[in-house]
Amino acid sequence: MWVSGKRGRSRDEPSDSMKVNIWDARDEVNTHLTWTASGDIESGTLNALVLAATQPQRYDTTFVEALLMTFPSVAPVACLITKLMERFNVPDSLDDDGTRVVDAVEARAIQARVLDVVERLFSEYPYVLEQGDVQALVHFLESVAPRAGWQAASERLMGMLRELQAGQRAVAGPAQFDTSAPALLMSGKAAIEPGDSVLAMNPVEVARQLT
């Protein structure tokens, strides 16, 4: 999965989606996604991918996991966080025909989706977050807390983030292996010395080096 417009660019260069509020691009979920032969989302603009990840009618956890897993390789995580924050802030404005962008029930469903994606991001992929990303998420959740119906959820997530900040959560990146050669065990000696032959080695060490 990749974000359209990012190939050939610096990873830190914002895509065109960062210049457009996600609510002004909500039709991109229908026009700016590409699909595999099996019906899975393959690529899209940043706005389209976040819209797809937070659809109120259909929540595809497999797609959300794929998005969170692959996103850091194509764009800064801060871009994703910004779009999730935009998505949560459902506008009160009216469309050209005088109807609301979304009704209250749909708005709440979208906000619940956003908070679920946020929780998955820092609970399952904390090693992709930089300190600024964590701070941005804290500020976002602090802004969510006063809103009717979201105080308990935001406080729970803030508690998890504070643990992450304090290093109390397991934040593990790729496994690190020690590839240096082990020290040789010598018969009655602490280390090999110039002039020593293989006969000076501990028999157990000879077997260990041959395996």
Side-chain angles (χ1 to χ4, degrees), residues 22-72:
I22 198 168
W23 286 100
D24 293 326
R26 58 188 186 279
D27 289 338
E28 289 189 15
V29 73
N30 299 316
T31 60
H32 288 66
L33 291 174
T34 61
W35 304 78
T36 66
S38 59
D40 298 320
I41 295 174
E42 182 179 39
S43 66
T45 61
L46 175 56
N47 280 328
L49 292 171
V50 174
L51 286 165
T54 56
Q55 287 284 75
Q57 302 88 353
R58 178 175 180 266
Y59 190 52
D60 186 343
T61 56
T62 301
F63 165 68
V64 171
E65 294 291 345
L67 175 65
L68 296 179
M69 186 181 301
T70 59
F71 190 87

Tab-separated table of all heavy atoms in Angstrom, residues 22-72:
chain	number	residue	atom	x	y	z
A	22	ILE	N	-9.699	17.252	5.036
A	22	ILE	CA	-10.294	15.976	4.647
A	22	ILE	C	-11.786	16.087	4.376
A	22	ILE	O	-12.332	15.348	3.549
A	22	ILE	CB	-9.999	14.911	5.732
A	22	ILE	CG1	-10.217	13.508	5.171
A	22	ILE	CG2	-10.824	15.156	6.980
A	22	ILE	CD1	-9.676	12.415	6.081
A	23	TRP	N	-12.471	17.050	5.032
A	23	TRP	CA	-13.919	17.202	4.819
A	23	TRP	C	-14.228	17.897	3.494
A	23	TRP	O	-15.353	17.811	2.993
A	23	TRP	CB	-14.544	17.942	5.994
A	23	TRP	CG	-14.627	17.064	7.187
A	23	TRP	CD1	-13.780	17.041	8.263
A	23	TRP	CD2	-15.569	16.014	7.399
A	23	TRP	NE1	-14.139	16.052	9.126
A	23	TRP	CE2	-15.235	15.403	8.640
A	23	TRP	CE3	-16.654	15.529	6.677
A	23	TRP	CZ2	-15.956	14.328	9.159
A	23	TRP	CZ3	-17.380	14.459	7.192
A	23	TRP	CH2	-17.033	13.884	8.420
A	24	ASP	N	-13.238	18.559	2.927
A	24	ASP	CA	-13.412	19.149	1.605
A	24	ASP	C	-13.027	18.158	0.511
A	24	ASP	O	-13.117	18.476	-0.678
A	24	ASP	CB	-12.553	20.409	1.473
A	24	ASP	CG	-13.022	21.526	2.393
A	24	ASP	OD1	-14.246	21.618	2.612
A	24	ASP	OD2	-12.169	22.285	2.897
A	25	ALA	N	-12.564	16.979	0.922
A	25	ALA	CA	-12.130	15.964	-0.046
A	25	ALA	C	-12.837	14.643	0.188
A	25	ALA	O	-12.336	13.586	-0.187
A	25	ALA	CB	-10.613	15.774	0.062
A	26	ARG	N	-14.025	14.689	0.807
A	26	ARG	CA	-14.657	13.444	1.214
A	26	ARG	C	-15.106	12.580	0.038
A	26	ARG	O	-15.329	11.384	0.200
A	26	ARG	CB	-15.823	13.700	2.171
A	26	ARG	CG	-16.925	14.582	1.657
A	26	ARG	CD	-17.902	14.905	2.782
A	26	ARG	NE	-19.056	15.642	2.340
A	26	ARG	CZ	-19.068	16.964	2.140
A	26	ARG	NH1	-17.972	17.676	2.320
A	26	ARG	NH2	-20.174	17.583	1.753
A	27	ASP	N	-15.208	13.158	-1.162
A	27	ASP	CA	-15.565	12.352	-2.336
A	27	ASP	C	-14.385	11.514	-2.838
A	27	ASP	O	-14.575	10.615	-3.662
A	27	ASP	CB	-16.063	13.248	-3.470
A	27	ASP	CG	-17.441	13.846	-3.170
A	27	ASP	OD1	-18.161	13.252	-2.334
A	27	ASP	OD2	-17.785	14.888	-3.754
A	28	GLU	N	-13.177	11.800	-2.325
A	28	GLU	CA	-11.993	11.065	-2.791
A	28	GLU	C	-12.061	9.589	-2.428
A	28	GLU	O	-11.397	8.765	-3.053
A	28	GLU	CB	-10.713	11.694	-2.234
A	28	GLU	CG	-10.375	13.038	-2.861
A	28	GLU	CD	-8.999	13.545	-2.466
A	28	GLU	OE1	-8.191	12.745	-1.943
A	28	GLU	OE2	-8.728	14.740	-2.683
A	29	VAL	N	-12.835	9.231	-1.424
A	29	VAL	CA	-12.958	7.821	-1.065
A	29	VAL	C	-13.601	7.034	-2.195
A	29	VAL	O	-13.428	5.813	-2.298
A	29	VAL	CB	-13.752	7.653	0.249
A	29	VAL	CG1	-15.237	7.932	0.034
A	29	VAL	CG2	-13.531	6.273	0.864
A	30	ASN	N	-14.321	7.721	-3.066
A	30	ASN	CA	-14.959	7.077	-4.219
A	30	ASN	C	-14.157	7.238	-5.509
A	30	ASN	O	-14.357	6.477	-6.458
A	30	ASN	CB	-16.357	7.657	-4.435
A	30	ASN	CG	-17.273	7.444	-3.239
A	30	ASN	OD1	-17.306	6.370	-2.664
A	30	ASN	ND2	-18.003	8.486	-2.867
A	31	THR	N	-13.265	8.237	-5.539
A	31	THR	CA	-12.588	8.561	-6.803
A	31	THR	C	-11.074	8.438	-6.773
A	31	THR	O	-10.443	8.427	-7.836
A	31	THR	CB	-12.934	10.001	-7.224
A	31	THR	OG1	-12.492	10.909	-6.195
A	31	THR	CG2	-14.433	10.165	-7.433
A	32	HIS	N	-10.469	8.356	-5.578
A	32	HIS	CA	-9.009	8.398	-5.489
A	32	HIS	C	-8.413	7.182	-4.777
A	32	HIS	O	-7.395	7.287	-4.110
A	32	HIS	CB	-8.564	9.680	-4.779
A	32	HIS	CG	-8.734	10.920	-5.610
A	32	HIS	ND1	-9.962	11.402	-5.980
A	32	HIS	CD2	-7.814	11.766	-6.160
A	32	HIS	CE1	-9.810	12.504	-6.702
A	32	HIS	NE2	-8.521	12.730	-6.832
A	33	LEU	N	-9.051	6.030	-4.917
A	33	LEU	CA	-8.503	4.779	-4.404
A	33	LEU	C	-8.305	3.825	-5.569
A	33	LEU	O	-9.095	3.819	-6.515
A	33	LEU	CB	-9.451	4.131	-3.383
A	33	LEU	CG	-9.626	4.832	-2.037
A	33	LEU	CD1	-10.713	4.120	-1.220
A	33	LEU	CD2	-8.315	4.877	-1.243
A	34	THR	N	-7.266	3.002	-5.501
A	34	THR	CA	-7.097	1.912	-6.463
A	34	THR	C	-7.224	0.600	-5.711
A	34	THR	O	-6.920	0.526	-4.514
A	34	THR	CB	-5.736	1.971	-7.175
A	34	THR	OG1	-4.674	1.848	-6.198
A	34	THR	CG2	-5.563	3.284	-7.922
A	35	TRP	N	-7.676	-0.429	-6.417
A	35	TRP	CA	-8.026	-1.694	-5.779
A	35	TRP	C	-7.270	-2.853	-6.434
A	35	TRP	O	-6.953	-2.808	-7.629
A	35	TRP	CB	-9.529	-1.941	-5.888
A	35	TRP	CG	-10.356	-0.836	-5.308
A	35	TRP	CD1	-10.631	0.376	-5.887
A	35	TRP	CD2	-10.981	-0.815	-4.031
A	35	TRP	NE1	-11.408	1.144	-5.049
A	35	TRP	CE2	-11.642	0.435	-3.896
A	35	TRP	CE3	-11.070	-1.738	-2.985
A	35	TRP	CZ2	-12.359	0.790	-2.770
A	35	TRP	CZ3	-11.801	-1.381	-1.860
A	35	TRP	CH2	-12.427	-0.133	-1.749
A	36	THR	N	-7.009	-3.886	-5.653
A	36	THR	CA	-6.416	-5.097	-6.199
A	36	THR	C	-7.506	-5.946	-6.849
A	36	THR	O	-8.701	-5.682	-6.686
A	36	THR	CB	-5.737	-5.918	-5.098
A	36	THR	OG1	-6.739	-6.393	-4.181
A	36	THR	CG2	-4.719	-5.089	-4.329
A	37	ALA	N	-7.072	-6.989	-7.558
A	37	ALA	CA	-8.040	-7.877	-8.212
A	37	ALA	C	-8.922	-8.584	-7.197
A	37	ALA	O	-10.063	-8.959	-7.497
A	37	ALA	CB	-7.297	-8.900	-9.072
A	38	SER	N	-8.416	-8.751	-5.977
A	38	SER	CA	-9.184	-9.438	-4.935
A	38	SER	C	-10.103	-8.500	-4.161
A	38	SER	O	-10.784	-8.917	-3.235
A	38	SER	CB	-8.238	-10.151	-3.968
A	38	SER	OG	-7.354	-9.226	-3.355
A	39	GLY	N	-10.100	-7.210	-4.534
A	39	GLY	CA	-11.015	-6.275	-3.893
A	39	GLY	C	-10.463	-5.548	-2.693
A	39	GLY	O	-11.222	-4.913	-1.950
A	40	ASP	N	-9.133	-5.600	-2.487
A	40	ASP	CA	-8.511	-4.876	-1.380
A	40	ASP	C	-7.983	-3.537	-1.865
A	40	ASP	O	-7.590	-3.392	-3.023
A	40	ASP	CB	-7.349	-5.690	-0.797
A	40	ASP	CG	-7.809	-7.015	-0.216
A	40	ASP	OD1	-8.880	-7.027	0.427
A	40	ASP	OD2	-7.112	-8.034	-0.420
A	41	ILE	N	-7.969	-2.549	-0.967
A	41	ILE	CA	-7.426	-1.241	-1.320
A	41	ILE	C	-5.920	-1.366	-1.502
A	41	ILE	O	-5.221	-1.913	-0.646
A	41	ILE	CB	-7.749	-0.206	-0.236
A	41	ILE	CG1	-9.266	0.013	-0.150
A	41	ILE	CG2	-7.046	1.121	-0.520
A	41	ILE	CD1	-9.696	0.912	0.995
A	42	GLU	N	-5.420	-0.860	-2.614
A	42	GLU	CA	-3.987	-0.946	-2.913
A	42	GLU	C	-3.274	0.372	-2.674
A	42	GLU	O	-2.165	0.403	-2.140
A	42	GLU	CB	-3.781	-1.380	-4.363
A	42	GLU	CG	-2.320	-1.536	-4.758
A	42	GLU	CD	-2.163	-1.982	-6.189
A	42	GLU	OE1	-2.938	-1.504	-7.045
A	42	GLU	OE2	-1.287	-2.806	-6.464
A	43	SER	N	-3.895	1.475	-3.080
A	43	SER	CA	-3.262	2.780	-2.931
A	43	SER	C	-4.314	3.864	-2.969
A	43	SER	O	-5.482	3.613	-3.275
A	43	SER	CB	-2.232	3.004	-4.045
A	43	SER	OG	-2.883	3.093	-5.305
A	44	GLY	N	-3.886	5.076	-2.657
A	44	GLY	CA	-4.814	6.191	-2.699
A	44	GLY	C	-4.177	7.438	-2.156
A	44	GLY	O	-3.062	7.412	-1.637
A	45	THR	N	-4.873	8.548	-2.276
A	45	THR	CA	-4.398	9.771	-1.647
A	45	THR	C	-4.511	9.620	-0.134
A	45	THR	O	-5.255	8.769	0.375
A	45	THR	CB	-5.225	10.980	-2.093
A	45	THR	OG1	-6.589	10.778	-1.692
A	45	THR	CG2	-5.166	11.173	-3.600
A	46	LEU	N	-3.788	10.460	0.579
A	46	LEU	CA	-3.843	10.397	2.040
A	46	LEU	C	-5.260	10.611	2.543
A	46	LEU	O	-5.742	9.888	3.425
A	46	LEU	CB	-2.885	11.439	2.628
A	46	LEU	CG	-2.884	11.612	4.148
A	46	LEU	CD1	-2.610	10.285	4.846
A	46	LEU	CD2	-1.854	12.661	4.555
A	47	ASN	N	-5.943	11.604	1.987
A	47	ASN	CA	-7.328	11.856	2.411
A	47	ASN	C	-8.209	10.642	2.154
A	47	ASN	O	-9.011	10.239	3.009
A	47	ASN	CB	-7.898	13.072	1.676
A	47	ASN	CG	-7.445	14.381	2.292
A	47	ASN	OD1	-7.228	14.479	3.485
A	47	ASN	ND2	-7.276	15.405	1.451
A	48	ALA	N	-8.069	10.035	0.972
A	48	ALA	CA	-8.913	8.894	0.625
A	48	ALA	C	-8.647	7.708	1.551
A	48	ALA	O	-9.579	7.003	1.964
A	48	ALA	CB	-8.676	8.488	-0.829
A	49	LEU	N	-7.387	7.466	1.893
A	49	LEU	CA	-7.047	6.335	2.760
A	49	LEU	C	-7.610	6.524	4.166
A	49	LEU	O	-8.137	5.585	4.772
A	49	LEU	CB	-5.530	6.154	2.818
A	49	LEU	CG	-4.859	5.691	1.518
A	49	LEU	CD1	-3.348	5.759	1.651
A	49	LEU	CD2	-5.303	4.278	1.148
A	50	VAL	N	-7.504	7.743	4.693
A	50	VAL	CA	-8.040	8.002	6.041
A	50	VAL	C	-9.560	7.943	6.020
A	50	VAL	O	-10.186	7.425	6.961
A	50	VAL	CB	-7.531	9.355	6.572
A	50	VAL	CG1	-8.212	9.701	7.904
A	50	VAL	CG2	-6.015	9.319	6.760
A	51	LEU	N	-10.180	8.447	4.965
A	51	LEU	CA	-11.633	8.333	4.845
A	51	LEU	C	-12.059	6.866	4.823
A	51	LEU	O	-13.019	6.469	5.496
A	51	LEU	CB	-12.101	9.024	3.560
A	51	LEU	CG	-12.091	10.550	3.567
A	51	LEU	CD1	-12.227	11.094	2.143
A	51	LEU	CD2	-13.193	11.106	4.462
A	52	ALA	N	-11.317	6.036	4.080
A	52	ALA	CA	-11.650	4.611	4.003
A	52	ALA	C	-11.463	3.920	5.345
A	52	ALA	O	-12.210	3.000	5.684
A	52	ALA	CB	-10.787	3.943	2.932
A	53	ALA	N	-10.473	4.356	6.101
A	53	ALA	CA	-10.188	3.730	7.397
A	53	ALA	C	-11.195	4.111	8.470
A	53	ALA	O	-11.280	3.446	9.512
A	53	ALA	CB	-8.783	4.114	7.863
A	54	THR	N	-11.979	5.153	8.222
A	54	THR	CA	-12.912	5.644	9.249
A	54	THR	C	-14.347	5.708	8.741
A	54	THR	O	-15.148	6.503	9.236
A	54	THR	CB	-12.472	7.035	9.746
A	54	THR	OG1	-12.366	7.930	8.616
A	54	THR	CG2	-11.126	6.967	10.454
A	55	GLN	N	-14.680	4.862	7.779
A	55	GLN	CA	-16.042	4.833	7.258
A	55	GLN	C	-17.004	4.382	8.352
A	55	GLN	O	-16.763	3.369	9.017
A	55	GLN	CB	-16.140	3.865	6.077
A	55	GLN	CG	-15.480	4.381	4.812
A	55	GLN	CD	-16.307	5.444	4.122
A	55	GLN	OE1	-16.377	6.587	4.557
A	55	GLN	NE2	-16.962	5.068	3.048
A	56	PRO	N	-18.100	5.088	8.562
A	56	PRO	CA	-19.036	4.695	9.620
A	56	PRO	C	-19.825	3.427	9.296
A	56	PRO	O	-20.186	2.675	10.193
A	56	PRO	CB	-19.964	5.908	9.737
A	56	PRO	CG	-19.890	6.565	8.396
A	56	PRO	CD	-18.486	6.337	7.902
A	57	GLN	N	-20.061	3.177	8.006
A	57	GLN	CA	-20.882	2.023	7.635
A	57	GLN	C	-20.078	0.734	7.575
A	57	GLN	O	-20.606	-0.354	7.806
A	57	GLN	CB	-21.548	2.256	6.264
A	57	GLN	CG	-22.426	3.481	6.182
A	57	GLN	CD	-21.629	4.729	5.774
A	57	GLN	OE1	-20.411	4.697	5.675
A	57	GLN	NE2	-22.356	5.822	5.548
A	58	ARG	N	-18.797	0.832	7.257
A	58	ARG	CA	-17.978	-0.370	7.069
A	58	ARG	C	-16.606	-0.136	7.672
A	58	ARG	O	-15.897	0.779	7.282
A	58	ARG	CB	-17.845	-0.686	5.570
A	58	ARG	CG	-16.980	-1.898	5.256
A	58	ARG	CD	-17.036	-2.184	3.749
A	58	ARG	NE	-16.215	-3.338	3.394
A	58	ARG	CZ	-14.947	-3.245	2.988
A	58	ARG	NH1	-14.367	-2.053	2.902
A	58	ARG	NH2	-14.252	-4.313	2.669
A	59	TYR	N	-16.234	-0.989	8.619
A	59	TYR	CA	-14.937	-0.835	9.276
A	59	TYR	C	-14.096	-2.063	8.981
A	59	TYR	O	-14.349	-3.138	9.501
A	59	TYR	CB	-15.116	-0.647	10.781
A	59	TYR	CG	-13.852	-0.235	11.505
A	59	TYR	CD1	-13.113	0.859	11.062
A	59	TYR	CD2	-13.419	-0.914	12.628
A	59	TYR	CE1	-11.966	1.257	11.716
A	59	TYR	CE2	-12.272	-0.526	13.298
A	59	TYR	CZ	-11.551	0.566	12.835
A	59	TYR	OH	-10.402	0.959	13.489
A	60	ASP	N	-13.099	-1.902	8.116
A	60	ASP	CA	-12.254	-3.005	7.673
A	60	ASP	C	-10.974	-3.011	8.512
A	60	ASP	O	-10.031	-2.266	8.239
A	60	ASP	CB	-11.928	-2.819	6.187
A	60	ASP	CG	-11.160	-4.003	5.607
A	60	ASP	OD1	-10.615	-4.799	6.387
A	60	ASP	OD2	-11.111	-4.123	4.365
A	61	THR	N	-10.943	-3.856	9.539
A	61	THR	CA	-9.787	-3.871	10.443
A	61	THR	C	-8.524	-4.344	9.729
A	61	THR	O	-7.420	-3.898	10.061
A	61	THR	CB	-10.058	-4.771	11.655
A	61	THR	OG1	-10.412	-6.090	11.202
A	61	THR	CG2	-11.193	-4.214	12.499
A	62	THR	N	-8.668	-5.222	8.744
A	62	THR	CA	-7.495	-5.682	7.998
A	62	THR	C	-6.855	-4.518	7.245
A	62	THR	O	-5.628	-4.354	7.238
A	62	THR	CB	-7.878	-6.793	7.003
A	62	THR	OG1	-8.445	-7.883	7.723
A	62	THR	CG2	-6.659	-7.263	6.219
A	63	PHE	N	-7.687	-3.686	6.625
A	63	PHE	CA	-7.175	-2.514	5.924
A	63	PHE	C	-6.532	-1.530	6.894
A	63	PHE	O	-5.458	-0.968	6.624
A	63	PHE	CB	-8.295	-1.822	5.148
A	63	PHE	CG	-7.932	-0.440	4.695
A	63	PHE	CD1	-6.964	-0.242	3.726
A	63	PHE	CD2	-8.555	0.672	5.253
A	63	PHE	CE1	-6.605	1.034	3.325
A	63	PHE	CE2	-8.207	1.945	4.848
A	63	PHE	CZ	-7.239	2.132	3.887
A	64	VAL	N	-7.182	-1.300	8.040
A	64	VAL	CA	-6.627	-0.370	9.027
A	64	VAL	C	-5.256	-0.832	9.491
A	64	VAL	O	-4.307	-0.035	9.587
A	64	VAL	CB	-7.592	-0.217	10.227
A	64	VAL	CG1	-6.928	0.581	11.353
A	64	VAL	CG2	-8.880	0.459	9.794
A	65	GLU	N	-5.113	-2.127	9.779
A	65	GLU	CA	-3.817	-2.656	10.206
A	65	GLU	C	-2.769	-2.469	9.106
A	65	GLU	O	-1.621	-2.101	9.381
A	65	GLU	CB	-3.947	-4.138	10.558
A	65	GLU	CG	-4.820	-4.431	11.778
A	65	GLU	CD	-4.190	-3.956	13.081
A	65	GLU	OE1	-2.970	-3.669	13.075
A	65	GLU	OE2	-4.918	-3.859	14.083
A	66	ALA	N	-3.157	-2.725	7.853
A	66	ALA	CA	-2.217	-2.561	6.738
A	66	ALA	C	-1.801	-1.104	6.592
A	66	ALA	O	-0.629	-0.800	6.335
A	66	ALA	CB	-2.850	-3.070	5.451
A	67	LEU	N	-2.743	-0.192	6.754
A	67	LEU	CA	-2.442	1.227	6.657
A	67	LEU	C	-1.443	1.653	7.726
A	67	LEU	O	-0.444	2.329	7.434
A	67	LEU	CB	-3.732	2.037	6.784
A	67	LEU	CG	-3.575	3.568	6.818
A	67	LEU	CD1	-3.015	4.078	5.493
A	67	LEU	CD2	-4.910	4.234	7.128
A	68	LEU	N	-1.700	1.260	8.966
A	68	LEU	CA	-0.822	1.660	10.067
A	68	LEU	C	0.561	1.023	9.935
A	68	LEU	O	1.578	1.629	10.301
A	68	LEU	CB	-1.454	1.279	11.404
A	68	LEU	CG	-2.770	1.990	11.745
A	68	LEU	CD1	-3.310	1.505	13.087
A	68	LEU	CD2	-2.595	3.510	11.756
A	69	MET	N	0.607	-0.182	9.413
A	69	MET	CA	1.878	-0.890	9.296
A	69	MET	C	2.756	-0.301	8.193
A	69	MET	O	3.979	-0.223	8.332
A	69	MET	CB	1.622	-2.372	9.021
A	69	MET	CG	2.878	-3.236	9.022
A	69	MET	SD	2.482	-4.978	8.672
A	69	MET	CE	1.349	-5.356	10.022
A	70	THR	N	2.143	0.121	7.095
A	70	THR	CA	2.919	0.561	5.939
A	70	THR	C	3.075	2.072	5.844
A	70	THR	O	3.988	2.554	5.174
A	70	THR	CB	2.273	0.062	4.628
A	70	THR	OG1	0.926	0.587	4.541
A	70	THR	CG2	2.218	-1.446	4.592
A	71	PHE	N	2.225	2.821	6.503
A	71	PHE	CA	2.229	4.278	6.336
A	71	PHE	C	3.578	4.909	6.656
A	71	PHE	O	4.040	5.783	5.897
A	71	PHE	CB	1.140	4.920	7.201
A	71	PHE	CG	0.941	6.382	6.899
A	71	PHE	CD1	0.069	6.783	5.896
A	71	PHE	CD2	1.647	7.357	7.585
A	71	PHE	CE1	-0.101	8.115	5.590
A	71	PHE	CE2	1.493	8.698	7.278
A	71	PHE	CZ	0.612	9.085	6.281
A	72	PRO	N	4.254	4.535	7.760
A	72	PRO	CA	5.526	5.201	8.082
A	72	PRO	C	6.585	5.075	6.999
A	72	PRO	O	7.545	5.850	6.984
A	72	PRO	CB	5.969	4.486	9.369
A	72	PRO	CG	4.708	3.979	9.974
A	72	PRO	CD	3.863	3.570	8.799
